[in-house]
Amino acid sequence: MTDIREFLDKYVNEDLERILVSNARSSSPVAKLQVRPVPVKGQVQYQVTYIQGTKAIHDNYKKDELNSYLTEQMEKNFRQMQLEGRYVQARVLVSKKGKMDIKAKEVKGGTKEDFTLMLSHNRTKKYLLKEGVPVPWLIDLGVMTPEGKIKNSRYDKFKQLNRYLEFIQDILPKLPRDREIQIIDFGCGKSYLTFAMYYYLKELKHFNIRVTGLDLKADVIEKCQKLADKYGYDKLRFLQGDIASYEGTDHVDMVVTLHACDTATDFALAKAVKWGASVILSVPCCQHELNRQVANQDLAPILEYGILKERFAALLTDGLRAQMLKSAGYDVQILEFISMEHTPKNLLIRAVKNKNRKEEPQQPREWENCIQAFHVEPTLKKLLFEDIHGEDCK
């Protein structure tokens, strides 16, 4: 086959998964195009995405419109196309003289039902919080309508809540079923995620839990407590207080700390470790401490730039935190998490206590060497591994 329009007419249909158009000619205003099928008012259309400046532009086309558009793009602006469908894998190459080489390979696809679910973007089946099921706290917090529909302007928040619950879903086997589970949420703020956690664990998964939300802002705490009382969440309470000075318990099963600023995260992590918490979920922010300290002659040309130094210090801070938690007996992952402000993704530190973890003598030495290499003194090290006299107690 050598005719691009004939090729597109054959393979652009409801079985299409995606098209990638690349290898732009000098005349092309954009570097590449991506195409995927999308449902629009009950019908399949095809969304073309390209980058213009710093923005991603999306345009929807009907089949004939798309085929005409792609034919023109391949004739004038691009030299390569890759098409993936449920039943086909294909590629198109354009020579310098404009001759097209088209190769398509038939493949065995999935079931029609599987593909239809993917195409329809059936979000209800993907999310732990179901669309169409009214949830009182989601309604009061402005995410959902009384009919259970997610407001368009709050869909990012809805996705964030579900992403957070996915992290919790992964650690359910680590939580006891034979007794009440103690959970503390440090720096709970407006408590979207606190309510989501309580609702998911208590109402949906039927765990016996007691959750405490802690924050410095009295008005926020008062509002959240009124909502908890309104919903009959008798084991969810909100208290005003500071992470570093909180002494309300001597045992906690799970500690959550989301966007606790700078060393407040370290105090929360240290308390979690000393309480013997089975699970820690932490999304740090504002890692200023090491940014003020970090110095390294080899990296001096990079650290000269404020924004690069800030990002490097944040990575160094959270990397060292993860390694220290490993030394404290936890299995640790660093995962991507959508931030509450819908800015670029943040990092979430998920630590799960492992009583069978074998001590690795070289592991603490490695992060100690890192600390010395960058001339920093992390607060978490002082809280976990040094006594009040500053002596090493590992």
Side-chain angles (χ1 to χ4, degrees):
M1 185 182 297
T2 58
D3 188 290
I4 182 68
R5 183 57 189 256
E6 179 185 351
F7 165 77
L8 293 170
D9 286 341
K10 181 176 181 179
Y11 292 116
V12 173
N13 51 44
E14 63 180 8
D15 293 326
L16 176 71
E17 293 178 357
R18 73 164 188 158
I19 297 174
L20 179 62
V21 181
S22 59
N23 196 359
R25 309 183 202 193
S26 58
S27 59
S28 177
V30 295
K32 64 181 179 180
L33 305 171
Q34 294 190 64
V35 181
R36 67 184 181 95
V38 293
V40 178
K41 296 181 179 180
Q43 297 182 341
V44 176
Q45 291 194 17
Y46 301 90
Q47 186 177 86
V48 176
T49 302
Y50 58 92
I51 304 298
Q52 191 170 72
T54 59
K55 295 182 179 180
I57 309 298
H58 307 285
D59 292 321
N60 290 346
Y61 294 84
K62 295 180 180 179
K63 176 177 176 175
D64 288 343
E65 296 172 339
L66 176 72
N67 291 351
S68 297
Y69 174 75
L70 291 179
T71 297
E72 181 180 10
Q73 292 299 316
M74 291 301 293
E75 290 175 346
K76 295 181 178 180
N77 294 324
F78 294 92
R79 298 189 183 279
Q80 184 170 333
M81 173 190 292
Q82 184 167 341
L83 182 148
E84 298 174 9
R86 190 158 66 99
Y87 297 114
V88 66
Q89 298 283 328
R91 65 113 177 101
V92 180
L93 298 177
V94 183
S95 70
K96 292 183 179 180
K97 294 183 178 181
K99 182 180 178 181
M100 295 196 184
D101 179 25
I102 303 174
K103 291 187 178 180
K105 179 181 179 181
E106 303 289 339
V107 296
K108 184 178 180 180
T111 66
K112 188 72 174 179
E113 181 182 5
D114 291 340
F115 186 78
T116 301
L117 288 175
M118 182 198 74
L119 176 62
S120 65
H121 297 260
N122 195 323
R123 298 175 297 192
T124 302
K125 291 186 178 295
K126 289 183 179 180
Y127 291 143
L128 298 176
L129 296 175
K130 306 297 185 183
E131 292 187 69
V133 178
V135 179
W137 58 270
L138 281 175
I139 296 170
D140 284 343
L141 293 173
V143 176
M144 180 181 281
T145 69
E147 296 74 33
K149 182 179 179 181
I150 306 304
K151 296 180 180 180
N152 290 336
S153 61
R154 305 297 282 163
Y155 211 89
D156 283 346
K157 173 60 67 179
F158 182 70
K159 289 194 295 184
Q160 182 212 36
L161 292 169
N162 279 281
R163 178 62 172 153
Y164 175 62
L165 293 181
E166 288 173 4
F167 292 132
I168 295 177
Q169 182 185 43
D170 291 342
I171 54 84
L172 291 183
K174 303 297 180 180
L175 299 178
R177 279 286 193 177
D178 58 347
R179 61 173 175 81
E180 185 178 75
I181 300 168
Q182 298 286 340
I183 301 174
I184 289 186
D185 187 346
F186 282 124
C188 58
K190 295 180 180 179
S191 300
Y192 289 88
L193 301 181
T194 317
F195 280 107
M197 175 173 60
Y198 186 91
Y199 175 78
Y200 177 69
L201 289 174
K202 178 75 171 178
E203 304 293 326
L204 299 184
K205 293 299 181 180
H206 308 294
F207 278 86
N208 180 12
I209 61 172
R210 183 174 297 276
V211 179
T212 301
L214 190 74
D215 200 271
L216 289 171
K217 298 178 181 178
D219 58 334
V220 172
I221 289 298
E222 182 180 2
K223 179 179 179 180
C224 291
Q225 189 60 59
K226 286 182 178 179
L227 290 176
D229 294 340
K230 174 183 176 181
Y231 310 139
Y233 291 172
D234 57 331
K235 290 191 175 184
L236 172 59
R237 65 171 181 165
F238 293 91
L239 302 174
Q240 183 184 9
D242 177 72
I243 293 173
S245 60
Y246 180 74
E247 299 292 343
T249 185
D250 57 2
H251 173 78
V252 176
D253 295 289
M254 179 172 166
V255 171
V256 177
T257 168
L258 304 178
H259 300 96
C261 189
D262 201 19
T263 56
T265 292
D266 298 302
F267 283 98
L269 295 178
K271 284 186 177 294
V273 171
K274 292 178 180 180
W275 283 329
S278 298
V279 177
I280 303 171
L281 299 178
S282 176
V283 178
C285 78
C286 306
Q287 298 93 332
H288 298 311
E289 182 184 42
L290 299 198
N291 188 30
R292 294 188 293 265
Q293 301 174 11
V294 63
N296 180 282
Q297 185 174 355
D298 293 331
L299 291 182
I302 296 174
L303 300 179
E304 175 183 345
Y305 301 99
I307 188 170
L308 297 182
K309 182 181 179 184
E310 179 182 348
R311 292 180 182 180
F312 177 81
L315 294 173
L316 179 63
T317 301
D318 293 335
L320 288 172
R321 284 168 171 162
Q323 290 297 318
M324 291 180 207
L325 289 173
K326 286 180 67 175
S327 292
Y330 287 81
D331 293 330
V332 185
Q333 296 171 288
I334 296 184
L335 307 164
E336 283 189 325
F337 181 59
I338 305 170
S339 83
M340 297 186 73
E341 294 78 19
H342 316 308
T343 53
K345 291 180 180 179
N346 286 345
L347 298 181
L348 179 140
I349 300 173
R350 183 169 66 191
V352 178
K353 188 74 173 177
N354 184 352
K355 295 180 180 179
N356 299 318
R357 185 178 183 83
K358 295 181 180 180
E359 185 176 357
E360 303 173 20
Q362 79 281 2
Q363 190 262 336
R365 287 199 296 267
E366 289 174 352
W367 58 257
E368 282 279 16
N369 291 339
C370 185
I371 285 174
Q372 294 174 16
F374 293 102
H375 305 282
V376 293
E377 298 179 3
T379 290
L380 187 59
K381 179 191 173 186
K382 301 173 187 176
L383 295 173
L384 288 183
F385 301 107
E386 295 176 5
D387 64 17
I388 59 174
H389 304 293
E391 297 173 352
D392 190 357
C393 62
K394 287 186 292 181

